[in-house]
Structures are given as C-alpha cells and as structure tokens.
C-alpha cells in the first residue's frame, strides 16, 4: 500500500504508465490519486479515459505510432505519415483532454545533426497548425545516446532548442528528460533555467540506473524540483523511473521528494 499523500506543492506531478506495467491501469490510477499525483503519462488512445475515473487525466499521449525513437522527424520521408497520424491522433488527444503528445527525432544513421535539425523543423512546420488548432503540445523528447538509445539525434538540449526556436510555435516544445540529460550533459538546473521557454514537459529517473529518486542517486531531486517550480513552470513533472522495492512506496517517496 502506498504511503500517505504528499502535501500539494507547486508542481503538477504525474507518473509514466510503462514503469508500472505489472499493476493494472485502474489500480495504478487509484493509487496515484491517493499519493497526490494529477495524471498518468504515456498512454495509448484506448486508455485515455481511464484516469478520469479517478479524478486524474492522461498528461501525455501517444498520438503517432508511426514515429518511433529510432525512426522519427529527422527524415523527410517520414513526414507525410507522421502528419497523417497527427491529423487523427491530435484531435483524439484534445477530445480526451490530453495536453501533450510525444515526438522523437529519430537516430542519426550517418546524418549530420544540422541536416537532421533542418528536417525536423520542416516536419514540425507541417504539423504545428494541427497542434495549435486543437490546443495540444507536441513534445520532442530529449534522450541519452550514451547508455540507453545509441545514435539518437536529440541527445542534447541545444539541438532541441534549435528546432523548437525555429518552429516558433507555442505548441511545439521539448520533453526535457532529466535522467537522460544528466547522463549526456549534466548542469541540469542551469540548463532548465536558461531554456524553460522551450520546455513543455519533464521526466524524472534516478541516475545511475533509472531507479528510485532516493539517496543512492547523484541528482538532488528536491533542488531540481524547486528550480522548476521557481521559474513558474505550469506543465507536468512526470516520474519515469523503474521502481526498486515496493513500486507504490517508491512512487510515493518520489512525489514527496519533488513536492516543493
């Protein structure tokens, strides 16, 4: 059983579904509500309505299954299929009250970062009006290419900011994954402060190992959470770590740590 609810803080916290696959979604939602979370991250459209039964919402959805981590926006030959998927998936997300949908750069496979950025900008320019018209934010996830996702292109904040700045839409932002960016570049708090206008969503995960947000990790999670709150971030701060020990106890502890 999860611990007592955390006090309500300045951040809207949620939790990624895939980290708790052994727990039925309804059970996870009920526990999340007790813990004090406001939503469930990374749901497929078929599950968008489940959190609502527990007073929660889906905080980020999958709206374009054609786009994957290795095969994404950095290749122009993918753009037509991505646009077609978003023309269905973004209105679906909007109807269910899902504020964000995920997007990926794709792997380099020999392509320069400059060419990949130009391609991603072109692809996002094709779909940004769909997102704008429906009030849904497309979030390009920053991932590490050192440990988990070899060859992934959007592996540094600067690349993502270049793309988001060029697209210049309030509905195209970055998913700043703190676990991944701590591995790739560190300097997390200062990077967040300098680039918060381009960040639409956060993910957590202990470094090293992507486990509990506890004292075995090198990131000071309470300080990071305070920094995010201090810059006035209004989006969702989603936990995406693989829990060690009782999963709901680990989740409740993470929520308490990041309640600021």
């Amino acid at each position: 059983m999860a611990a007592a609810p955390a006090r309500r803080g300045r951040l809207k916290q949620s939790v990624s579904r895939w980290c708790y696959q052994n727990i039925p979604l309804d059970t996870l939602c009920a526990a999340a509500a007790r813990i004090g979370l406001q939503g469930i991250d990374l749901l497929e459209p078929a599950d968008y309505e489940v959190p609502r039964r527990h007073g929660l919402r889906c905080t980020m959805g999958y709206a374009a299954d054609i786009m994957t981590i290795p095969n994404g926006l950095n290749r122009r030959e993918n753009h037509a299929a991505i646009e077609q998927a978003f023309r269905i998936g973004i209105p679906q997300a909007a109807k269910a009250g899902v504020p964000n949908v995920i997007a990926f750069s794709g792997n380099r496979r020999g392509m320069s970062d400059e060419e990949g950025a130009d391609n991603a900008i072109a692809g996002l320019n094709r779909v940004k009006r769909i997102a704008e018209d429906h009030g849904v934010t497309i979030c390009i996830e920053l991932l590490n290419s050192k440990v988990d996702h070899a060859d992934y292109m959007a592996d540094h904040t600067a690349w993502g900011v270049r793309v988001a700045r060029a697209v210049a839409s309030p509905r195209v932002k970055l998913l700043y994954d703190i676990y991944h960016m701590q591995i790739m570049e560190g300097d997390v708090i200062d990077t967040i402060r300098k680039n918060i206008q381009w960040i639409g969503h956060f993910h957590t995960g202990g470094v090293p190992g992507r486990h509990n947000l506890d004292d075995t990790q090198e990131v000071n999670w309470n300080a990071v959470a305070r920094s995010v709150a201090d810059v006035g971030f209004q989006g969702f701060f989603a936990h995406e770590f693989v829990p060690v020990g009782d999963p709901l106890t680990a989740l409740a502890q993470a929520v308490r740590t990041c309640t600021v």
Side-chain angles (χ1 to χ4, degrees):
M1 181 64 64
R7 64 181 176 82
R8 182 63 64 119
R10 292 179 290 159
L11 294 179
K12 296 183 290 188
Q13 298 185 58
S14 60
V15 61
S16 294
R17 168 63 177 139
W18 72 265
C19 303
Y20 299 83
Q21 287 294 329
N22 292 331
I23 299 176
L25 182 55
D26 263 307
T27 303
L28 177 63
C29 290
R34 289 196 302 271
I35 290 169
L37 292 166
Q38 296 190 40
I40 307 295
D41 230 46
L42 299 178
L43 294 181
E44 297 286 350
D47 291 325
Y48 283 169
E49 296 297 329
V50 178
R52 288 175 180 250
R53 299 200 285 259
H54 305 273
L56 307 176
R57 68 193 300 191
C58 172
T59 48
M60 175 164 283
Y62 291 109
D65 285 345
I66 190 71
M67 180 168 38
T68 64
I69 289 173
N71 194 37
L73 288 160
N74 65 350
R75 282 187 154 67
R76 291 179 185 259
E77 59 266 31
N78 296 336
H79 291 175
I82 291 171
E83 179 181 355
Q84 182 179 9
F86 273 155
R87 286 197 178 279
I88 297 169
I90 286 177
Q92 194 172 25
K95 183 178 179 181
V98 179
N100 306 294
V101 296
I102 198 166
F104 303 106
S105 68
N107 288 355
R108 291 181 174 91
R109 299 201 292 274
M111 179 183 291
S112 72
D113 286 2
E114 291 74 17
E115 181 183 357
D118 288 344
N119 291 346
I121 292 162
L124 288 162
N125 278 333
R126 289 180 62 153
V127 299
K128 67 182 182 182
R129 182 64 183 270
I130 307 169
E132 291 164 359
D133 287 348
H134 290 88
V136 172
T137 301
I138 299 168
C139 293
I140 312 156
E141 186 163 21
L142 303 175
L143 301 172
N144 85 76
S145 60
K146 180 179 177 182
V147 176
D148 298 289
H149 301 289
D151 201 43
Y152 186 72
M153 185 171 281
D155 62 355
H156 282 82
T157 307
W159 189 94
V161 168
R162 174 185 171 184
V163 170
R165 180 185 283 117
V167 175
S169 170
R171 292 299 175 182
V172 174
K173 300 279 187 177
L174 303 179
L175 195 178
Y176 187 90
D177 191 306
I178 300 164
Y179 161 77
H180 289 292
M181 291 301 96
Q182 171 66 11
I183 290 172
M184 291 303 298
E185 55 191 27
D187 199 24
V188 166
I189 289 176
D190 194 47
T191 300
I192 290 169
R193 286 172 176 162
K194 289 177 177 176
N195 297 287
I196 192 62
Q197 72 186 100
W198 310 111
I199 297 172
H201 200 76
F202 284 93
H203 278 169
T204 74
V207 183
R210 200 176 194 151
H211 296 306
N212 302 14
L213 309 191
D214 58 22
D215 59 7
T216 69
Q217 302 297 315
E218 66 190 36
V219 174
N220 182 338
W221 287 100
N222 184 262
V224 170
R226 277 188 281 110
S227 297
V228 173
D230 287 348
V231 295
F233 180 69
Q234 296 299 305
F236 288 91
F237 192 84
H239 297 293
E240 193 188 27
F241 63 89
V242 179
V244 174
D246 179 76
L248 297 181
T249 298
L251 179 57
Q253 178 59 53
V255 173
R256 287 194 297 271
T257 296
C258 296
T259 299
V260 294

